[in-house]
Amino acid sequence: MPPFWKTFWFQSLATLLGVVSVGALGYVGYKQRVKTIEARNRELEAKVREATQELRKKNEEIQKQKDELEEKIVTLLQALNTQKLFRWRYCPKKSI
C-alpha cells in the first residue's frame, strides 16, 4: 500500500483544496476592490455635490449683479432720454 500522500483521494482533495483556496482569495480580492471603488465613488459624489453648491451660489450672485446692472442701465437711459427731451423742447437751437 502506497503512502497516503500518493493516493488518488489525497491528491484529489489536495487539488480541490488548492482550487478552492485560489478561488476564495480571488473572491476576497474582488470584494475588497469593489469596496474600495464604492468608497472612492462616495468621496467623488460628495465633492461633486460641494462643487455644485458653490457653483449655484456663485451663479446666484452673478445673476443678482446682472439684475442690478440692468436696473442701473435702464435708469441711466431713462435719465438720458429725459435730458434729451428737455433740451429738444426747451432749449432753442442756435443758428449760425
Side-chain angles (χ1 to χ4, degrees):
M1 185 165 181
F4 73 91
W5 62 85
K6 288 187 178 181
T7 63
F8 170 76
W9 293 108
F10 181 81
Q11 290 178 349
S12 297
L13 286 174
T15 302
L16 181 62
L17 181 62
V19 169
V20 169
S21 296
V22 169
L25 286 174
Y27 180 74
V28 168
Y30 166 77
K31 291 301 277 183
Q32 184 62 37
R33 180 73 179 136
V34 167
K35 194 177 194 181
T36 302
I37 290 171
E38 288 173 345
R40 179 70 177 144
N41 283 346
R42 284 191 296 273
E43 289 175 16
L44 291 174
E45 287 171 356
K47 286 182 180 182
V48 166
R49 276 193 302 274
E50 182 181 329
T52 300
Q53 287 175 347
E54 290 176 11
L55 287 173
R56 283 186 180 144
K57 184 177 178 182
K58 291 200 182 278
N59 192 27
E60 288 173 2
E61 291 173 7
I62 291 170
Q63 184 65 38
K64 185 178 177 182
Q65 291 173 350
K66 177 186 161 270
D67 293 342
E68 290 172 359
L69 285 173
E70 284 177 349
E71 286 180 28
K72 288 179 182 180
I73 289 171
V74 167
T75 303
L76 287 172
L77 288 174
Q78 288 172 345
L80 183 62
N81 285 337
T82 302
Q83 186 180 26
K84 284 182 181 179
L85 183 63
F86 178 80
R87 284 186 184 168
W88 181 75
R89 282 188 180 169
Y90 300 109
C91 295
K93 291 185 181 178
K94 294 182 183 178
S95 57
I96 299 177

